[in-house]
């Protein structure tokens, strides 16, 4: 950034770098511009810079750089130009979505291109990677294509959504952009089936909503409140903000239903409840504020009907339909009768789909304390969900909903066959006619094709086939089967399976499905029965003898036997009274211990509560610690940015030092070649060419070195002559000494040879004697045998050593071969890098040379044009001078007028004491001329009527009063030009002045 003092220059340079395929350098340059603190005032140029920066990030898949750039641009334009920030964010979203769609289309189009090459793999020539992928996925080729082509674009788009949501999480001015990004992210998760990203997105939106509720809640909108500094840019909850949040959560709810993530769907319901609580709190502070629109809430309950239907929670599905129907009647006054009938039918059918339980209320607590705890947990969950959904009761049941339907007269709006079906399921108890009566009603229900909602929106969920009433046939069949089994259990104790098959034949279900339903009902403790395949019957039994109650049957038997014993053998009342008194005394003695145990239990419960509170506090501390860690990470990022700026400043400092060192080197060269560097300015030193100075300095150094070498050569030549003369003189002496030494050496050699021969002969004689003595004792045969054995051992050892050495040599050769291959590879890489560097340097030099030649051609062209203009101007001036000279000569050759002599004392052109002549009349020959003789003046019009302009000698030398008459007197009777010198430059200028100028001059 130090080289680009204006953002426009940086943008231009980045575009140039991008045009020569240096996108990384362009991205780094624009990032430095955005993160620089030198220019912190927004301008339209920064918007162009940001768009170019985002295009580069999209091209290179740099999501982290895009995030950093958006944060920098947010800090720059949030307060000055929020509209520009919105434009940039929308541009990024559109481009990222477009690129992701193109990548998906490319990935899907690849199989069509590869269909022609299917014959290549018919012999099993697949790669190992393809074989490994085939064991992990159904379509390994598609998985590989998606990971190669689609995954980078998906990852960039997901990071884009996360970044935008993080930037705009508390910006009230751009809240619609925030929700547009949230809807885009939800659509992304639904289209590409990204369940993990959907969970993270839900957590992020929930965290943003929690922060707004915690730090930016109702105090912001109150009149006497202080501005909230904990959330920058948040201006408080408004009706529009609440509506946008609700619409986003509705879309989130629908996406959770499409992805089968019901846990996230229920959490989304909690979020919607929290938003509605904010709306209610606002209305308490400001009663004039309107509640959420009925249409909006109707859309919410419509989404809930889909969610609970997919999750098979028929109870809350029915309650959601009831709320939706009630709200539609409120806001949609123009709803048609057919639509009312369809929606009322949907409410009734949804209520009938709820599995019915036996009327005996004692069965709810049939398993004592164990089942009571489970029932309490279920009831608590049901009550919480009912509260979150805004239902009118905390304990929603099938009977309560049907009572509401009857109270609201919804039964009057449904068709007659549905009322019959209601009466059959609720009031009929004949199991033999139940299925027979219900079958035609269900068949008629299957034929219903009308939509149950006012908006025919397409559902992405495969489980929701349509919005017609026919989808309720399957759950109604299950309820009908349960009703049939309950009625059979009240009438019969055992039913044959063939009889049961005959009764269920009209339900269009197989007997396997009936068995599955029976097992399901038994597991849910709705029905108590056993299937006896050996006897071919279905046995109904009391719940007291089933499941967990079986462990108490011995106790019941003992009680019954005890009652029998009391009848057979009546007990002794006195003995019973005594035992009862002893029992009471024992109870009194144990009362204190039981009281202590109760207190201990209470203390234990308190400790557990304290432990739970402690865990909550620890969780809060962990959250604070995590927040502190996040702040530390942000500070670390800031420190990194400061460190990066510090490196840039150090780089500028290094460049400045290099420049100073270059100037110092130039000064050194200037001083070396004898120039005065102290008298030169810094600009003059900077303009000096270092290469030229080095060349000049090298030339002088070469001259000095050549002179020194010449002197050395001359000295060496003199020394050579001297040494040669000395050697010539000492040659005879050396030869004489050599001959004497050779003679003496010969004599010594001959004496040594004679002495050596004598010693050798004596040694030989001694050796011969020793040999004879050794042979006499057979010593040499023993030595040969020992030597042979030793040599055999040494040969074996030598072969082993040779084999080891061969192996070592082979390993060494292999290592050297690998080392040579590595060295060749490194040399090749180094050569390629050097060639690339040389190519880059050559490219830079070529561009510099082209720029220099272009500037030189421009300079020569301008010089030629300047020379051409100068020559043209000279030619024009020369032509002008020639024309004027020609006119002057012609005027001087003209004959004098007769009237001129007769008017010698009158003056001419208004000169002297004559009458003033106007300029318009001066060219007519009047004003001093006597033209009565019919002659006319001979002077040209360019000279002011013949004599008005010009400086004449007659005026300067005449003795008359006017000067003209005396001058004219000397010139009379002869040519005017003969008595007057040539014009000077000033005279020519006076000629151009005309008669007016001359008249004024003579008149004065």
């Amino acid at each position: 950034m130090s080289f680009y003092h204006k953002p426009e220059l940086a943008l231009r340079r980045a575009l140039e770098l991008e045009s020569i395929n240096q996108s990384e350098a362009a991205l780094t340059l624009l990032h430095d511009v955005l993160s620089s603190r030198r220019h912190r005032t927004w301008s339209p140029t920064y918007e162009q810079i940001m768009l170019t920066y985002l295009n580069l990030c999209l091209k290179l898949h740099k999501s982290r750089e895009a995030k950093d750039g958006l944060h920098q641009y947010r800090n720059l334009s949030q307060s000055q130009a929020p509209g520009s920030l919105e434009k940039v964010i929308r541009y990024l979203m559109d481009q990222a979505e477009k690129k992701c769609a193109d990548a998906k289309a490319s990935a899907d189009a690849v199989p069509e291109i590869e269909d022609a090459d299917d014959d290549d793999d018919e012999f099993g020539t697949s790669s190992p990677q393809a074989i490994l992928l085939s064991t992990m996925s159904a379509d390994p080729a598609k998985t590989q294509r998606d990971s190669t082509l689609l995954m980078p674009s998906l990852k960039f788009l997901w990071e884009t959504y996360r970044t935008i949501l993080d930037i705009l999480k508390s910006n009230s001015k751009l809240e619609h952009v925030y929700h547009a990004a949230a809807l885009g992210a939800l659509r992304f998760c639904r289209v590409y089936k990204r369940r993990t990203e959907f969970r993270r997105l839900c957590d992020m939106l929930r965290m943003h909503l929690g922060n707004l509720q915690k730090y930016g809640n109702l105090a912001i909108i109150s009149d006497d409140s202080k501005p909230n500094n904990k959330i920058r840019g948040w201006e408080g909850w408004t009706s529009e903000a609440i509506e946008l949040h609700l619409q986003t959560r509705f879309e989130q709810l629908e996406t959770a239903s499409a992805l089968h993530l019901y846990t996230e769907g229920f959490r989304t319901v909690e979020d919607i409840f929290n938003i509605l609580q904010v709306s209610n709190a606002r209305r308490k502070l400001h009663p004039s504020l309107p509640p959420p629109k009925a249409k909006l809430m109707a859309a919410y309950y419509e989404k809930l009907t889909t969610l609970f239907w997919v999750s098979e929670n028929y109870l809350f599905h029915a309650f959601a339909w009831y709320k939706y129907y009630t709200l539609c009647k409120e806001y949609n006054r123009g709803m048609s009768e057919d639509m009312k009938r369809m929606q009322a039918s949907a409410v009734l059918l949804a209520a009938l789909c709820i599995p019915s339980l036996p009327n005996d209320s004692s069965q709810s607590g049939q398993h004592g304390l164990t089942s009571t705890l489970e029932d309490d947990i279920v009831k608590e969950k049901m009550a919480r969900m009912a509260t979150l959904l805004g239902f009118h009761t905390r304990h929603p049941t099938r009977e309560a909903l049907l009572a509401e339907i009857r109270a609201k007269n919804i039964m009057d709006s449904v068709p007659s066959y549905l009322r019959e079906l209601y009466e059959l399921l609720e009031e009929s108890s004949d199991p033999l006619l139940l299925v027979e009566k219900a079958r035609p009603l269900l068949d008629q229900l299957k034929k219903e094709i009308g939509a149950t909602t006012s908006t025919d929106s397409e559902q992405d969920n495969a489980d929701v086939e349509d919005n017609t009433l026919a989808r309720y046939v399957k759950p109604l069949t299950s309820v009908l089967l349960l009703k049939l089994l309950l009625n059979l259990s009240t009438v019969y104790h055992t039913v044959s399976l063939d009889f049961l098959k005959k009764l269920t034949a009209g339900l269009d279900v197989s007997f396997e499905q009936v068995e599955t339903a029976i097992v399901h009902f038994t597991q849910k403790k709705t029905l108590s029965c056993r299937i006896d395949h050996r006897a071919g019957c279905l046995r109904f039994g009391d719940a007291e003898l089933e499941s967990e109650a079986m462990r108490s049957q011995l106790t019941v038997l003992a009680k019954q036997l005890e009652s029998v014993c009391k009848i057979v053998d009546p007990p002794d009342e006195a003995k019973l009274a005594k035992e009862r008194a002893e029992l009471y005394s024992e109870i009194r003695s144990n009362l204190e211990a039981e009281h202590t145990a109760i207190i201990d239990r209470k203390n234990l419960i308190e400790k557990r509560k304290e432990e739970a509170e402690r865990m909550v506090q620890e969780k809060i501390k962990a959250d604070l610690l995590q927040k502190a860690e996040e702040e530390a990470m942000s500070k670390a990022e800031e420190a990194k940015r400061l460190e990066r700026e510090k490196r840039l400043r150090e780089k500028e400092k290094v460049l400045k030092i290099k420049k100073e060192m270059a100037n110092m080197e130039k000064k050194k060269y200037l001083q070396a070649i004898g120039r005065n560097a102290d008298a030169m300015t810094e600009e003059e030193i900077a303009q000096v060419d270092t290469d030229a100075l080095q060349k000049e300095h090298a030339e002088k150094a070469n001259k000095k070195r050549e002179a020194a070498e010449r002197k050395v050569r001359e000295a060496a030549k003199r020394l050579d002559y001297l040494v040669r003369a000395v050697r010539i003189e000492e040659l005879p002496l050396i030869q004489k000494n050599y001959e004497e030494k050779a003679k003496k050496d010969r004599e010594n050699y001959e004496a040594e040879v004679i002495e050596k021969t004598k010693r050798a002969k004596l040694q030989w004689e001694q050796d011969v004697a020793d040999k004879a003595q050794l042979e006499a004792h057979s010593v040499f045969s023993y030595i040969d045998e020992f030597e042979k054995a030793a040599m055999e051992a040494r040969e074996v050892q030598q072969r082993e050593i040779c084999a080891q050495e061969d192996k070592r040599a082979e390993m060494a050769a292999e290592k050297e071969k690998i080392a040579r291959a590595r060295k060749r590879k490194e040399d090749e890489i180094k050569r390629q890098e050097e060639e690339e560097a040389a190519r880059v340097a050559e490219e830079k030099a070529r561009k510099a040379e082209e720029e220099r030649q272009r500037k030189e051609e421009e300079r020569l062209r301008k010089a030629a044009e300047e020379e051409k203009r100068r020559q043209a101007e000279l030619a024009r001036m020369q032509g002008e001078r020639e024309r004027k000279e020609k006119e002057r000569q012609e005027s001087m050759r003209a004959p004098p007028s007769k009237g001129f002599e007769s008017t010698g004392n009158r003056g001419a052109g208004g000169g002297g004491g004559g009458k003033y002549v106007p300029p318009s009349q001066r060219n007519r020959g009047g004003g001093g001329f006597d033209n009565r003789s019919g002659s006319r003046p001979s002077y040209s019009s360019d000279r002011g009527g013949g004599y008005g302009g010009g400086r004449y000698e007659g005026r300067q030398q005449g003795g008359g009063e006017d000067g003209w008459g005396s001058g004219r007197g000397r010139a009379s009777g002869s040519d005017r030009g003969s008595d007057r010198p040539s014009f000077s430059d000033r005279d020519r200028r006076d000629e151009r002045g005309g008669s007016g100028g001359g008249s004024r001059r003579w008149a004065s």
Side-chain angles (χ1 to χ4, degrees):
M1 185 59 191
S2 60
F3 298 102
Y4 301 99
H5 299 286
K6 293 183 178 181
E8 295 84 356
L9 302 179
L11 177 60
R12 188 183 307 167
R13 179 57 180 166
L15 294 176
E16 293 174 357
L17 291 173
E18 184 181 6
S19 64
I20 59 175
N21 296 327
Q22 294 188 8
S23 301
E24 292 282 352
L27 184 65
T28 304
L29 175 61
L30 294 180
H31 184 271
D32 294 341
V33 173
L34 292 173
S35 59
S36 175
R37 293 189 175 183
R38 179 174 298 177
H39 304 287
R40 304 309 297 172
T41 302
W42 182 87
S43 64
T45 306
Y46 279 100
E47 182 175 319
Q48 297 297 325
I49 290 175
M50 193 62 199
L51 296 178
T52 307
Y53 179 81
L54 294 178
N55 287 331
L56 292 173
C57 293
L58 282 166
K59 180 179 179 182
L60 300 175
H61 294 289
K62 299 285 188 180
S63 57
R64 186 180 297 274
E65 285 74 8
K67 178 180 180 180
D68 191 13
L70 280 177
H71 277 282
Q72 297 292 341
Y73 193 70
R74 188 272 306 270
N75 297 333
L76 178 65
S77 62
Q78 184 175 12
S79 59
Q80 303 178 24
S84 177
L85 180 60
E86 177 183 357
K87 179 181 178 181
V88 168
I89 290 176
R90 289 190 179 275
Y91 176 82
L92 177 60
M93 282 196 299
D94 295 341
Q95 294 299 320
E97 291 172 355
K98 181 180 178 182
K99 188 169 185 179
C100 190
D102 295 342
K104 182 174 177 58
S106 301
D108 295 337
V110 170
E112 299 177 1
I113 301 174
E114 293 179 350
D115 286 340
D117 300 333
D118 290 341
D119 296 336
D120 297 340
D121 296 336
E122 62 182 359
F123 297 106
T125 58
S126 300
S127 62
Q129 293 82 358
I131 296 174
L132 182 61
L133 281 174
S134 64
T135 63
M136 301 173 63
S137 60
D139 190 359
K142 185 177 184 303
T143 303
Q144 190 171 6
R145 287 194 306 271
D146 291 344
S147 63
T148 303
L149 300 176
L150 186 58
M151 285 306 297
S153 299
L154 287 179
K155 184 178 179 182
F156 187 90
L157 181 58
W158 167 244
E159 292 297 330
T160 298
Y161 285 131
R162 287 185 58 188
T163 302
I164 294 173
L165 292 175
D166 183 61
I167 288 176
L168 303 179
K169 60 185 177 183
S170 60
N171 195 326
S172 296
K173 296 180 180 179
L174 301 179
E175 191 168 7
H176 57 286
V177 183
Y178 171 83
H179 291 283
L183 294 177
L186 293 171
R187 185 167 56 252
F188 162 83
C189 297
R190 184 169 64 253
V191 171
Y192 297 100
K193 306 297 181 183
R194 311 298 296 181
R195 290 180 172 84
T196 304
E197 285 79 0
F198 178 74
R199 293 190 185 95
R200 295 178 181 175
L201 178 63
C202 292
D203 293 338
M204 182 189 301
L205 295 177
R206 194 170 295 112
M207 181 184 67
H208 294 170
L209 179 62
N211 290 335
L212 293 180
Q213 288 179 319
K214 184 177 180 181
Y215 300 112
N217 210 342
L218 303 173
I220 300 177
I221 61 174
S222 59
D223 297 335
D224 56 347
S225 63
K226 297 181 180 179
N228 188 2
N229 297 325
K230 293 184 178 180
I231 299 182
R232 184 178 62 177
W234 178 250
E235 298 177 357
W237 289 99
T238 60
S239 300
E240 182 182 1
I242 292 174
E243 185 174 352
L244 289 174
H245 276 279
L246 288 176
Q247 290 177 356
T248 303
R249 293 318 186 281
F250 295 164
E251 185 68 21
Q252 181 179 341
L253 192 64
E254 186 174 355
T255 305
S257 176
L259 297 177
H260 300 277
L261 298 175
Y262 306 122
T263 303
E264 292 297 334
F266 295 143
R267 290 181 180 176
T268 305
V269 171
E270 293 184 3
D271 296 339
I272 295 174
F273 175 76
N274 293 331
I275 296 173
L276 294 177
Q277 290 299 109
V278 172
S279 177
N280 294 333
R282 290 179 70 247
R283 289 200 304 275
K284 288 181 181 179
L285 292 177
H286 302 278
S288 60
L289 293 176
K293 298 178 181 179
K295 184 177 182 180
L296 194 64
M297 298 306 297
Y300 168 49
Y301 287 110
E302 182 183 2
K303 298 289 189 304
L304 287 180
T305 58
T306 304
L307 176 65
F308 291 128
W309 174 259
V310 173
S311 61
E312 297 183 357
N313 192 336
Y314 298 116
L315 177 62
F316 287 110
H317 172 74
F319 272 87
W321 256 118
Y322 175 72
K323 295 289 290 185
Y324 175 65
Y325 175 75
T326 305
L327 290 171
C328 284
K329 288 182 64 177
E330 289 182 8
Y331 85 90
N332 194 0
R333 300 292 184 182
M335 188 168 53
S336 62
E337 293 296 330
D338 292 338
M339 183 60 67
K340 287 182 180 180
R341 181 179 61 82
M342 296 298 294
Q343 290 188 1
S345 302
V347 173
L348 178 60
L349 290 174
L352 293 177
C353 288
I354 303 172
S356 60
L357 298 176
N359 295 326
D360 190 3
S361 61
S362 64
Q363 292 187 1
S364 62
Q366 60 188 353
H367 303 308
L369 294 175
T370 304
S371 60
T372 301
L373 181 60
E374 296 176 356
D375 293 341
D376 291 340
I377 293 174
V378 173
K379 288 181 180 179
E380 184 178 356
K381 289 184 178 180
M382 298 283 282
R384 174 171 174 78
M385 183 58 66
T387 303
L388 293 178
L389 297 177
F391 294 154
H392 59 279
T393 176
R394 286 181 53 85
H395 302 288
T397 58
R398 184 174 187 268
E399 292 73 15
L401 181 58
L402 290 175
E404 284 287 333
I405 291 174
R406 291 191 296 268
K408 296 290 186 180
N409 297 325
I410 298 178
M411 299 290 294
D412 298 339
S413 302
V414 301
S416 59
Y417 75 95
L418 292 182
R419 286 196 293 270
E420 294 177 5
L421 181 61
Y422 166 75
E423 293 174 357
L424 184 65
L425 291 176
E426 295 299 319
E427 299 177 2
S428 177
S429 61
D430 188 358
L432 302 180
L433 301 176
L434 184 64
V435 177
E436 184 178 356
K437 292 181 179 180
R439 181 175 181 178
L441 301 178
L442 293 178
D443 292 340
Q444 187 176 357
L445 180 61
K446 289 181 181 179
K447 299 177 182 179
E448 289 288 348
I449 59 174
T452 56
T453 58
S454 58
T455 58
D456 298 332
S457 60
E458 296 182 358
Q459 299 290 336
D460 295 330
N461 195 341
D463 294 337
V464 184
E465 296 178 355
D466 53 18
N467 292 328
T468 61
L469 299 177
R471 63 177 178 175
Y472 292 103
V473 173
K474 184 177 179 181
L476 283 175
T477 303
S478 178
V479 173
L480 188 62
L481 180 60
L482 177 60
K483 182 74 173 179
L484 175 64
L485 294 173
L486 290 175
N487 291 342
L488 288 174
S489 65
T490 58
V491 178
Y492 301 99
H493 181 71
T494 303
V495 176
S496 65
L497 296 181
D498 295 335
F499 181 69
L500 182 62
K501 290 180 182 178
K502 182 179 178 180
L503 290 178
T504 59
L507 295 178
D508 293 336
V509 293
S510 63
F511 190 70
E512 289 78 8
Q513 294 176 349
V514 174
E515 288 182 339
T516 304
I518 292 173
V519 173
H520 181 71
F521 296 150
T522 306
Q523 288 178 350
K524 288 186 172 295
K525 303 173 184 178
T526 307
L527 180 68
S528 298
C529 64
R530 289 175 297 171
I531 302 176
D532 190 350
H533 289 282
R534 180 179 298 178
C537 64
L538 182 66
R539 301 181 186 276
F540 298 101
D542 190 3
E544 294 284 342
L545 300 177
E546 300 294 336
S547 64
E548 296 180 3
M550 288 291 292
R551 62 188 179 185
S552 63
Q553 61 181 351
L554 295 178
T555 305
V556 175
L557 179 61
K559 290 181 179 179
Q560 293 177 356
L561 291 175
E562 184 180 2
S563 62
V564 172
C565 291
K566 288 181 180 180
I567 296 173
V568 174
D569 185 12
D572 189 3
E573 296 295 336
K575 185 178 179 181
L576 289 177
K578 182 179 180 181
E579 291 177 355
R580 189 178 294 109
E582 292 176 356
L583 177 63
Y584 290 161
S585 62
E586 184 179 359
I587 291 173
R588 291 189 188 94
S589 62
N590 294 333
L591 185 62
E592 187 68 25
E594 290 180 357
H595 180 67
T596 305
I598 293 173
I599 294 176
D600 293 338
R601 183 175 180 272
K602 181 180 179 182
N603 294 333
L604 180 61
I605 293 173
E606 293 295 333
K607 288 182 179 180
R608 289 182 179 178
K609 288 183 178 179
E610 293 175 357
E611 182 67 17
E613 293 177 357
R614 185 184 63 80
M615 293 178 66
V616 172
Q617 294 296 328
E618 289 179 356
K619 184 178 180 181
I620 294 174
K621 290 181 181 178
D623 294 339
L624 293 176
L625 181 60
Q626 183 180 1
K627 184 177 179 182
E629 290 177 356
E630 291 177 355
E631 292 178 356
M633 290 177 64
S634 63
K635 290 181 180 179
E637 291 291 336
E638 182 68 13
K640 289 181 181 179
R641 188 180 63 79
L642 295 176
E643 182 66 22
R644 186 166 59 251
E645 293 180 357
K646 182 180 178 181
R647 287 197 298 270
L648 289 175
R649 290 193 298 270
E650 290 177 356
K651 185 177 180 181
E652 294 177 2
K653 185 177 179 181
V654 169
L655 292 175
K656 184 177 180 181
I657 292 173
K658 287 182 179 179
K659 184 178 179 181
E660 293 177 357
M661 292 178 66
N663 291 338
M664 292 175 63
E665 186 178 1
K666 291 178 181 179
K667 289 181 180 180
K668 182 178 69 175
Y669 282 126
L670 290 172
Q671 292 176 0
I673 62 178
R675 295 186 185 180
N676 186 10
D678 297 332
M680 299 176 66
T681 61
E682 293 292 333
E683 290 78 12
E684 293 176 351
I685 294 175
Q687 292 176 0
V688 174
D689 190 2
T690 307
D691 296 335
L693 289 177
Q694 290 179 353
K695 187 176 180 181
E696 185 177 357
H697 181 264
E699 289 176 356
K700 289 190 176 182
N702 289 335
K703 290 180 180 180
K704 186 176 181 181
R705 185 176 63 255
E706 289 174 358
E709 289 177 355
R710 187 173 61 255
K711 291 181 180 180
V712 170
R713 286 195 300 269
E714 292 175 357
K717 190 174 182 181
R718 287 194 299 270
L719 182 61
D720 181 52
Y721 289 162
L722 179 61
V723 172
R724 186 179 299 177
V726 171
R727 290 183 178 178
I728 292 173
E729 293 296 331
E730 70 179 4
L731 184 61
L733 300 176
I734 294 174
Q735 187 175 3
K736 182 178 179 181
N737 291 334
Y738 173 74
E739 291 175 352
E740 292 178 355
K741 187 177 183 300
K743 182 179 180 181
K744 185 176 180 181
D745 291 338
R746 188 181 299 111
E747 292 175 353
N748 293 332
Y749 175 72
E750 291 174 353
E752 288 177 0
V753 168
I754 294 170
E755 184 65 26
K756 185 177 181 181
T757 302
K758 291 179 181 181
R759 288 196 304 270
K761 185 176 181 180
L762 293 174
Q763 183 65 34
W764 178 77
E765 291 174 354
Q766 182 68 30
D767 292 338
V768 169
D770 293 338
K771 182 179 180 182
Q773 188 177 2
L774 292 173
E775 285 179 350
H777 294 84
S778 301
V779 173
F780 290 106
S781 62
Y782 296 144
I783 292 174
D784 293 338
E785 292 176 358
F786 174 77
E787 185 177 357
K788 183 178 180 181
M791 288 302 295
E792 288 177 357
R794 289 184 180 181
E795 287 177 358
V796 172
Q797 185 178 5
Q798 194 267 346
R799 284 194 295 271
E800 292 179 355
I801 293 173
C802 288
Q804 294 178 0
E805 186 64 23
D806 291 341
K807 291 182 180 179
R808 188 193 63 78
E810 290 178 0
M811 293 178 65
E814 185 67 22
K815 289 182 179 179
E816 291 178 357
K817 184 178 180 181
I818 293 174
R820 288 195 302 273
R822 289 178 178 174
K823 188 173 184 304
R824 285 196 300 272
K825 184 176 180 181
E826 292 175 357
D827 293 342
E828 181 65 20
I829 293 174
K830 185 177 180 181
R831 183 185 64 79
Q832 292 178 359
E833 291 177 353
E834 291 178 353
E835 289 180 356
E836 181 65 19
R839 186 186 65 78
V840 174
E842 183 179 354
E843 183 68 18
K844 290 182 178 179
R846 182 181 63 78
K847 290 183 179 179
E849 181 64 22
E850 291 178 356
E851 183 68 17
R852 188 189 62 78
Q853 291 180 0
R854 186 184 64 79
K855 291 182 179 179
E856 183 65 21
E857 291 176 357
E858 184 68 18
R859 187 185 63 79
L860 293 176
R861 184 181 61 79
K862 289 182 178 180
E865 291 179 355
E866 185 66 25
E867 181 64 22
K868 186 176 179 181
R869 286 196 298 269
R870 191 178 65 82
Q871 293 295 337
E873 182 65 21
L874 290 177
R876 186 188 64 78
M877 293 176 65
Q878 184 66 23
E880 184 70 19
R881 284 197 297 270
E882 291 178 356
R883 183 182 63 79
K884 291 182 179 181
E885 182 65 21
K886 184 177 179 181
E887 290 178 355
R888 185 184 64 80
Q889 291 177 1
E890 289 178 357
S891 63
M892 290 176 65
R893 287 196 301 267
S897 177
K898 294 181 180 181
F900 183 79
E901 296 178 357
S902 61
T903 57
N905 294 326
R906 280 187 206 174
K915 185 179 179 181
Y916 172 77
V917 179
S920 60
Q921 301 295 329
R922 292 173 187 173
N923 293 332
R924 300 179 181 178
F929 286 108
D930 190 3
N931 203 15
R932 288 173 295 179
S933 60
S935 63
R936 56 182 181 179
S938 61
Y939 293 95
S940 64
S941 62
D942 291 339
R943 302 184 63 184
Y947 49 85
R951 190 173 53 200
Y952 295 92
E953 292 181 355
R955 183 184 176 187
Q956 296 175 0
Q957 298 176 3
E961 293 179 359
D962 54 359
W964 169 256
S966 58
R968 186 61 200 167
R970 289 193 301 269
S972 60
S974 63
D975 190 2
R976 289 176 53 204
S978 61
D979 296 334
R980 201 179 83 178
S982 61
F983 288 102
S984 63
D985 292 338
R986 182 176 178 184
D987 297 333
R988 294 191 184 98
R989 288 194 297 268
D990 293 339
E991 286 179 0
R992 288 194 296 267
S995 61
S999 302
R1000 286 192 298 270
R1001 187 162 52 250
W1002 288 110
S1004 62

